[in-house]
């Protein structure tokens, strides 16, 4: 019997997904603001920070080994230790461009070579951690519990976002205001991250349970190279021969297309001066408005989305969620056109957009779980999340150059046009979903 029953999911699900969120948001979101504040042009910033999604995109090529070698728990703990070391080294890698270069927005991305290398190492470790953590979640909890806790895991994942995009950004902003030193502010911010993440990793050494179902796919003593690669091939073969696999891939690539463009340019838009079409917020204000208020509403949307889906199932909830994913994007059109000074108006607009995204993203998560059911659910779910990362990486690579070409207002109108893709893929995906899936 699983000893998972001896340890409540409340003791490990919240902290596991908090730990999963921290490196993801540091690498893919906080890096955007850090590079923008240090004067890296939007085009280069968006391209290189989008390339940091690469480990999440190609992780299917090593995800079967997480199923085949060792336990999911071993992978989770090992990757957390590796990321703790990387965060410590990141503290020492932040470059110090001069104030004139940062103010002119001409800081060369080459100054951040070592920082980018450490971000990449963190990204690979984080992607591997995601595979193991998501697999552990599905092994340890039954289908009904998975639907019940999908809102909880989303909540603590988003709390990691509040810590990263709210608390850490506010710390960076406060230090920047006090010492008028942008590089110092991000150095201290990375130090706080390293200390906090190391503490969470230490807790997990003892808190994460050891269910008997958490074991290698191969029988003991059979983990030869031939057997490993045979199983490796079988995981891909079984995924790409699943019924409806093409539709699933298209859905995973296009459902979040509007958000993929929007999220890459959101923070640069908030800190850009009014003459450049932005809102002119300080780093600390971004930490409060977007990183705290926005993420709180994102979290509320995720919780209510999980509850809503567990009551009526994925099939009946997907259209409500698709609408919430797309319509609130209009708030950024309003912000770009009106450029309001009122912080309440800005906060309200961001709260509406983020709540809608949080609610709508629940359908995406449940759809990936639904499609991953089967013998290799861990590896198949990892392949799904790889397509999810690809759906964010490709649009993000071009978002900065597009924005530099057409300006913020037209860029956000383009995001609205992209909502058509979300509607189209939802029409086709809805026809294939089991009406009972996701109900508690």
């Amino acid at each position: 019997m699983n000893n998972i029953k001896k340890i409540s999911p409340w003791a490990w699900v919240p902290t596991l997904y908090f730990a999963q969120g921290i490196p993801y948001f540091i690498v893919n979101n906080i890096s955007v603001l850090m590079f923008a504040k240090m004067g890296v042009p939007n085009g280069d910033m968006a391209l290189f920070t989008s390339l940091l999604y690469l480990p999440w995109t190609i992780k299917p090529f090593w995800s079967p080994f997480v199923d085949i070698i060792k336990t999911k728990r071993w992978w989770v703990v090992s990757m957390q230790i590796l990321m703790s070391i990387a965060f410590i080294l990141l503290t020492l890698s932040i470059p110090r461009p001069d104030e004139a270069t940062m103010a002119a927005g001409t800081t060369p991305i080459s100054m951040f070579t070592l920082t980018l290398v450490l971000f990449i190492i963190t990204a690979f470790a984080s992607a591997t951690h995601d595979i193991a953590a998501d697999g552990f979640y599905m092994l340890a909890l039954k289908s009904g519990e998975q639907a019940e806790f999908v809102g909880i895991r989303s909540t603590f994942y988003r709390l990691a976002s509040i810590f990263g995009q709210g608390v850490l950004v506010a710390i960076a902003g406060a230090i920047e205001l006090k010492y008028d030193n942008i590089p110092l502010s991000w150095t201290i911010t990375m130090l706080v991250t390293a200390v906090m993440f190391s503490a969470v990793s230490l807790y997990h050494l003892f808190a994460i349970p050891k269910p008997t179902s958490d074991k290698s796919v191969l029988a003991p003593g059979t983990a030869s190279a031939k057997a490993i690669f045979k199983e490796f091939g079988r995981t891909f073969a079984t995924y790409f021969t699943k019924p409806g696999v093409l539709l699933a891939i298209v859905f995973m690539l296009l459902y979040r297309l509007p958000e993929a463009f929007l999220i890459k340019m959101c923070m640069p838009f908030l800190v850009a001066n009014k003459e450049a079409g932005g809102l002119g917020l300080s780093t600390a204000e971004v930490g409060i408005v977007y990183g705290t208020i926005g993420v709180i509403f994102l979290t509320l949307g995720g919780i209510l989305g999980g509850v809503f889906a567990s009551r009526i199932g994925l099939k009946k909830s997907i259209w409500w969620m698709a609408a919430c994913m797309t319509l609130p994007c209009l708030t950024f059109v309003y912000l770009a056109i009106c450029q309001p000074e009122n912080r309440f108006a800005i906060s309200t607009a961001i709260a509406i957009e983020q709540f809608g995204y949080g609610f709508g993203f629940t359908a995406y998560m449940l759809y990936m779980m639904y499609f991953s059911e089967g013998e290799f659910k861990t590896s198949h779910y990892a392949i799904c999340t790889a397509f999810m990362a690809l759906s964010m990486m490709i649009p993000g690579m071009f978002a900065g150059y597009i924005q530099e070409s057409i300006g913020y207002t037209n860029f956000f109108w383009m995001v609205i046009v992209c909502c058509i893709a979300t509607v189209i893929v939802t029409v086709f995906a809805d026809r294939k979903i089991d009406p009972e899936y996701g109900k508690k």
Side-chain angles (χ1 to χ4, degrees):
M1 183 176 293
N2 277 350
N3 76 344
I4 194 69
K5 293 185 178 180
K6 298 178 182 177
I7 300 179
S8 168
W10 285 100
W12 57 270
V13 171
T15 53
L16 180 63
Y17 281 90
F18 182 84
Q20 181 170 315
I22 290 296
Y24 181 86
F25 289 112
I26 292 292
V27 170
N28 293 308
N29 295 78
I30 303 306
S31 64
V32 172
L33 181 58
M34 183 178 77
F35 290 149
K37 290 295 294 184
M38 289 201 181
V40 178
N42 277 352
D44 291 343
M45 175 278 297
L47 173 62
F48 282 92
T49 56
S50 293
L51 287 173
L52 292 174
Y53 277 109
L54 185 61
W56 284 274
T57 302
I58 63 174
K59 69 181 179 182
F61 291 106
W62 73 87
S63 64
F65 293 101
V66 178
D67 265 335
I68 296 167
I69 302 171
K70 297 288 187 178
T71 64
K72 309 300 182 296
R73 187 186 188 280
W74 182 89
W75 284 104
V76 166
V77 171
S78 298
M79 292 303 103
Q80 287 184 9
I81 292 172
L82 177 59
M83 287 186 284
S84 297
I85 295 170
F87 283 135
I88 293 170
L89 294 176
L90 273 167
T91 302
L92 308 174
S93 77
I94 305 298
R96 297 179 178 275
D98 62 77
E99 291 184 13
T101 302
M102 289 189 289
T106 57
T107 305
I109 193 69
S110 58
M111 285 191 70
F112 294 88
T113 300
L114 178 56
T115 303
L116 285 168
V117 168
L118 289 169
F119 275 145
I120 290 170
I121 292 171
T122 304
F124 273 102
S126 179
T128 305
H129 180 274
D130 291 355
I131 298 166
D134 292 336
F136 188 87
Y137 177 88
M138 290 187 285
L139 284 171
L141 301 178
K142 297 178 181 178
S143 176
E145 291 176 314
Q146 290 177 31
E148 180 181 1
F149 271 88
V150 72
I152 302 303
R153 68 185 255 184
S154 241
T155 297
F156 280 85
Y157 189 81
R158 295 306 170 186
L159 285 175
S161 179
I162 291 178
F163 180 83
Q165 298 180 93
V167 175
L168 292 180
V169 171
I171 290 172
I175 295 170
E176 179 186 335
L177 287 174
K178 183 174 181 179
Y179 296 103
D180 193 24
N181 190 325
I182 293 175
L184 176 64
S185 70
W186 289 106
T187 298
I188 295 176
T189 298
M190 286 301 170
L191 177 60
V192 173
T193 303
V195 172
M196 182 281 310
F197 195 83
S198 297
V200 174
S201 301
L202 179 62
Y203 169 76
H204 284 155
L205 283 173
F206 307 98
I208 295 179
K210 301 177 181 179
T212 54
S213 57
D214 182 19
K215 56 187 178 182
S216 169
V217 170
L218 294 179
T222 64
S224 66
K226 181 179 179 180
I228 288 174
F229 282 100
K230 180 180 179 182
E231 290 297 293
F232 182 90
R234 198 156 70 89
T235 57
F236 280 92
T238 53
Y239 182 89
F240 288 101
T241 55
K242 278 176 174 275
V245 64
L246 182 60
L247 171 61
I249 291 172
V250 173
F251 178 85
M252 288 182 279
L253 288 176
L254 296 181
Y255 181 76
R256 293 202 300 166
L257 183 62
E259 192 69 19
F261 279 113
L262 190 149
I263 197 171
K264 184 55 63 175
M265 298 313 303
C266 178
M267 285 195 281
F269 167 68
L270 295 177
V271 298
N273 59 46
K274 293 293 184 82
E275 292 74 19
L279 297 185
L281 300 184
S282 69
T283 303
E285 286 174 325
V286 172
I288 296 170
V289 172
Y290 183 77
T292 304
I293 295 173
V295 176
I296 287 173
F297 278 86
L298 182 73
T299 301
L300 289 174
I303 294 172
L304 292 178
V307 172
F308 187 66
S310 70
R311 296 285 176 83
I312 67 174
L314 175 59
K315 185 174 180 64
K316 290 184 178 179
S317 62
I318 193 169
W319 273 110
W320 293 99
M321 294 180 176
C324 287
M325 176 70 76
T326 54
L327 294 177
C329 292
L330 284 167
T331 58
F332 272 86
V333 175
Y334 156 73
L335 291 175
I337 292 175
C338 298
Q339 293 182 299
E341 297 279 354
N342 187 287
R343 297 305 187 250
F344 179 78
I346 296 172
S347 299
T348 301
I350 290 175
I352 291 171
E353 193 278 331
Q354 291 289 281
F355 179 88
Y357 176 56
F359 192 86
F361 184 62
T362 305
Y364 194 87
M365 290 179 66
L366 285 174
Y367 184 86
M368 290 192 299
M369 291 180 190
Y370 172 66
F371 190 73
S372 300
E373 289 294 319
E375 179 185 3
F376 293 98
K377 64 171 63 177
T378 300
S379 296
H380 287 182
Y381 187 82
I383 296 172
C384 288
T385 59
F387 283 115
M388 176 179 74
L390 189 65
S391 76
M392 300 297 284
M393 185 181 85
I394 295 176
M397 289 173 64
F398 301 100
Y401 295 118
I402 294 173
Q403 182 278 317
E404 287 180 332
S405 176
I406 65 177
Y408 281 111
T409 301
N410 289 333
F411 178 82
F412 292 128
W413 275 119
M414 184 201 72
V415 169
I416 298 301
V417 173
C418 291
C419 292
I420 296 171
T422 304
V423 174
I424 292 174
V425 295
T426 302
V427 169
F428 290 98
D430 180 43
R431 299 173 183 175
K432 303 292 184 180
I433 297 172
D434 181 350
E436 297 301 312
Y437 184 79
K439 290 184 180 179
K440 187 174 178 181

